Amino acid sequence: MLQAGLYGSLFLICAAVFAKVRSRTVRLLVLLAASFGLYLTWTLWFGAVLLTSVVVNFLLGRALRKSESTGVLALGIVFNLALLSTFKYLPEFAGHIASLQRFAHLALPLGVSFWTFQAMSYLFDQYRGEDLDPSFFEFAAYMAFFPVTISGPICRMPEMLPQFRSETLTPWSEIGKGIRRVAMGFFMVQLAQLVGAGILGGDGISSGFDHATRWSALDVWCLVFGYGLQLFFDFAGYSHIAIGVAKILGFTVPENFARPFTSTSVSVFWTRWHMSLSFWIRDYVFLPLATLRREVWWRSFTLILAMVLFGLWHKGTLLFALWGLYQGLLLVLHRQVQQVQRNSGWEPPAALWNVVAWGTTISLMSLGWLLFRSSSLDQARQMFVAILSPSGYTQHFLSGSLFLMVGALALGYAITLLVISALEPHEDEQVAPGGGIVGLAARMRWYWLPPVYVVALTLLLVINSTSGASTAQFMYGNF
């Protein structure tokens, strides 16, 4: 509670400064004080790790600005990967090696996966000759910027540096947009907590994975699709909050999600899901490696390798490596299907093909969450076997309320997307009269949307409080 109060107080101070003060020096110092002050409230040595990364990467960046040295870049990559591995992967391996037992409980500094990648992108951009000359304080603000430090979105220096140097006061229109994003994000996070705990408590996705010992095919499909929704609402909700808080301060940070469940191919899905990380992997891993050779097999290999690294970024376990391998194979397979279509000149009916492609994409992506969420390789194997059993499609062992909740949430989200799509063409406040009921609803949305939101949020909070939904940190805080 004390930490939340401090966060709120420092955020309000920053918002007031960026709305009223034009001095770049004052704005930067206030932002730095708030960012490091909030980070230090977790554990002092977390701040020491972050500050070490800031100092070392700033010096490496300065060296690269003077000379685009491959050796300096390699040193930067080694340093950042070593820092990340020490806290993220060493404890996992230490638990299995007697001589390293003392490292088994090494705590993971908050956001290390995110701000380490931000540091590496800065070094890569300097090596490529980007015109980047941040001061030490500007670089420190880039690394510790509190709206995104813990779980992203992953930012890049070329987009953030001009904003740190801006003297433009935050307009009320941007503050309003930011507040709406925060409200939307908070609602989505509450939905994620409900899906995890269940309507009645103990009958949600978490219990289905962690406590159930027997699953039918229907159970597994419900769990993996429900987990995909839970992960989406949690992380997309957090992203909305982070983006909204940054916008209230006058900053624009990268989007992280763009309606991924409407994707009609795996390739499209990965341009809409955790976009800041997907594009980071594409720009700094896949493309540099893929351009080393022209052979098709090499591009396929580098694509698979990039996705395996994508999986290991989340956690250094065999399950996450297999999840990345699975995603890489899906992407390669999609490219092969596209090539066959081009070579054969086959053009299926668009309407029918889009439905089939969408259903296939969502099913394959949902199946992948099995590797992402399972607690062990044996559990993943059991669940895969259950899916392949024909008799498993005639019975279920999990609570009927779980099936009802996942189905209702999926339907509700689909209806929400349809309503948003209908209202979007009429978003302009000055839209001329007309447009029928939809146009009227769009023009009057600030009269009917807030009451609907308040009622829905209140109902959700009541259900969560009675079901025992967890109020723990965001799911992606574990990565």
Side-chain angles (χ1 to χ4, degrees), residues 67-376:
S67 174
E68 295 166 10
S69 166
T70 304
V72 173
L73 178 63
L75 180 61
I77 294 173
V78 170
F79 167 77
N80 283 288
L81 291 181
L83 182 70
L84 185 62
S85 300
T86 298
F87 296 104
K88 191 159 188 172
Y89 307 122
L90 180 59
E92 183 74 28
F93 292 108
H96 305 288
I97 303 174
S99 61
L100 298 177
Q101 284 294 319
R102 62 183 180 278
F103 298 108
H105 302 291
L106 192 63
L108 182 69
L110 287 171
V112 62
S113 301
F114 296 89
W115 45 259
T116 297
F117 269 32
Q118 289 194 175
M120 291 178 69
S121 71
Y122 166 68
L123 297 180
F124 284 129
D125 289 340
Q126 285 283 34
Y127 180 75
R128 292 173 176 179
E130 291 270 6
D131 185 19
L132 302 173
D133 61 336
S135 67
F136 176 77
F137 291 120
E138 288 170 337
F139 183 72
Y142 165 72
M143 291 285 284
F145 186 46
F146 73 88
V148 303
T149 305
I150 296 176
S151 293
I154 299 173
C155 301
R156 302 190 189 184
M157 183 61 83
E159 287 75 37
M160 297 303 294
L161 187 57
Q163 298 186 74
F164 290 135
R165 294 176 174 176
S166 173
E167 297 179 351
T168 303
L169 301 180
T170 309
W172 282 106
S173 59
E174 291 300 291
I175 294 175
K177 291 177 182 177
I179 292 173
R180 293 198 292 273
R181 293 294 290 266
V182 171
M184 183 189 308
F186 182 73
F187 186 82
M188 293 175 72
V189 169
Q190 293 301 313
L191 282 175
Q193 292 179 357
L194 175 63
V195 177
I199 298 174
L200 304 176
D203 64 344
I205 298 299
S206 298
S207 177
F209 273 102
D210 297 334
H211 302 300
T213 57
R214 189 180 181 189
W215 304 274
S216 71
L218 294 178
D219 292 328
V220 175
W221 280 114
C222 179
L223 285 174
V224 294
F225 186 67
Y227 179 72
L229 289 174
Q230 181 192 7
L231 191 60
F232 167 72
F233 283 118
D234 181 271
F235 193 34
Y238 166 83
S239 297
H240 276 302
I241 294 173
I243 293 168
V245 168
K247 192 167 285 292
I248 292 172
L249 301 180
F251 289 84
T252 298
V253 298
E255 294 291 342
N256 241 359
F257 293 86
R259 303 178 188 177
F261 288 107
T262 63
S263 304
T264 54
S265 74
V266 177
S267 297
V268 171
F269 183 91
W270 282 117
T271 63
R272 297 181 176 185
W273 180 283
H274 202 170
M275 295 152 60
S276 64
L277 177 59
S278 295
F279 295 156
W280 196 100
I281 295 291
R282 178 197 66 188
D283 295 340
Y284 299 114
V285 178
F286 170 66
L287 289 178
L289 290 176
T291 54
L292 294 178
R293 301 174 65 100
R294 294 184 177 182
E295 295 90 339
V296 174
W297 72 266
W298 175 253
R299 291 183 65 87
S300 297
F301 171 76
T302 54
L303 183 55
I304 293 173
L305 176 62
M307 293 308 293
V308 170
L309 294 175
F310 192 116
L312 291 174
W313 175 89
H314 290 85
K315 199 171 184 179
T317 67
L318 178 58
L319 277 172
F320 281 95
L322 290 175
W323 177 78
L325 175 63
Y326 173 79
Q327 298 297 334
L329 291 173
L330 288 182
L331 289 169
V332 170
L333 179 60
H334 176 243
R335 291 190 172 200
Q336 297 303 314
V337 171
Q338 286 181 313
Q339 187 63 44
V340 170
Q341 282 186 280
R342 284 193 293 266
N343 292 341
S344 65
W346 178 56
E347 289 292 339
L352 177 61
W353 179 252
N354 284 340
V355 172
V356 173
W358 172 80
T360 302
T361 299
I362 299 304
S363 298
L364 290 173
M365 294 307 303
S366 296
L367 197 59
W369 297 130
L370 205 162
L371 294 168
F372 197 92
R373 178 58 177 83
S374 293
S375 57
S376 67

Side-chain angles (χ1 to χ4, degrees), residues 1-12 34-44 46-47 110 146 150 471-474:
M1 184 63 70
L2 180 62
Q3 196 173 52
L6 180 62
Y7 184 99
S9 299
L10 291 177
F11 164 66
L12 290 175
S35 296
F36 275 95
L38 288 170
Y39 198 79
L40 287 171
T41 60
W42 295 95
T43 302
L44 289 179
F46 279 8
L110 287 171
F146 73 88
I150 296 176
T471 56
Q473 67 177 13
F474 297 104

